[in-house]
Amino acid sequence: MSPESQRKFELLNLLAESYDALLFDVDGTLADNMDAHKQAYKAAAKQYGVELDVNLIDETAGWPTVAVAAEISKRYGVDFDHQEFSTLKSTIFRDEYVFKTKPVDYVVEHLKYQKGKKHIAAVSGGTRTTLSMTLNTIGVWNDLETLVCAGDTPEGKPSPQPFLLAASQLNIAPEKCLVYEDGIPGVEGAKAAGMGWVRVDEL
């Protein structure tokens, strides 16, 4: 790791000390792949005649893909099947980008350092298939005790539901959970769940 990554790694370890469980977002937090996701969204949208402004993807960071599809449909006034769009976007991402994914080094090293000391989960708005490929590619799939993803709860981020489900599966009280995020919706969900949180992109 670079000196800057080492600094962030050590800071994350300090922040985690008083918590029993660590809940990690995946895309943009553990995995350095947000640009790839944006390009996959852009390519999928183009097939529906939409020239997508990828800033929308930053705004909706952490949302389930089908919910992002609904937002694109609404904003651009284009009617299409949201689940079909979601499947297309996921297929493009898996076929063209997922195996090129790099880890966010200081976050992944922090997760591995804390394994066995804390309970570890991933909480993401992605699909289980895509997430499992991403987590395997960056080498942390076997470090997780549980994974909460799109469809596991009635509502996705910014709802607290995904975080509360993860805490329940780990049998840890929400206030003893620390959430790692790179987007506002995830932070809002963590706050609503009564959990601690950290923006890994703002350290």
Side-chain angles (χ1 to χ4, degrees), residues 116-189:
K117 303 179 183 74
K118 312 284 187 183
H119 295 280
I120 308 286
V123 181
S124 170
T127 64
R128 191 167 294 272
T129 303
T130 303
L131 287 169
S132 63
M133 294 169 75
T134 299
L135 292 163
N136 268 305
T137 299
I138 62 173
V140 299
W141 176 253
N142 293 324
D143 299 319
L144 303 176
E145 291 173 56
T146 192
L147 167 64
V148 174
C149 57
D152 288 346
T153 53
E155 297 175 4
K157 302 174 190 177
S159 166
Q161 290 180 10
F163 298 109
L164 293 172
L165 177 59
S168 172
Q169 290 175 346
L170 295 172
N171 199 28
I172 301 293
E175 62 270 19
K176 298 302 289 182
C177 297
L178 179 62
V179 172
Y180 299 74
E181 280 285 349
D182 70 309
I184 292 170
V187 170
E188 289 175 348

Side-chain angles (χ1 to χ4, degrees), residues 9-79:
F9 166 77
E10 291 170 1
L11 178 55
L12 288 177
N13 287 331
L14 281 172
L15 291 169
E17 281 183 358
S18 62
Y19 294 92
D20 295 336
L22 311 178
L23 278 49
F24 293 86
D25 175 47
V26 178
D27 300 320
T29 298
L30 285 169
D32 184 9
N33 61 0
M34 283 312 296
D35 282 340
H37 275 289
K38 288 176 183 178
Q39 293 311 310
Y41 270 114
K42 197 172 178 71
K46 195 160 192 171
Q47 296 199 28
Y48 293 91
V50 172
E51 282 296 331
L52 181 66
D53 177 353
V54 294
N55 287 324
L56 184 149
I57 308 308
D58 291 321
E59 289 176 45
T60 57
W63 288 22
T65 309
V66 71
V68 179
E71 186 67 16
I72 292 169
S73 176
K74 185 174 83 174
R75 287 210 199 172
Y76 286 87
V78 178
D79 189 31

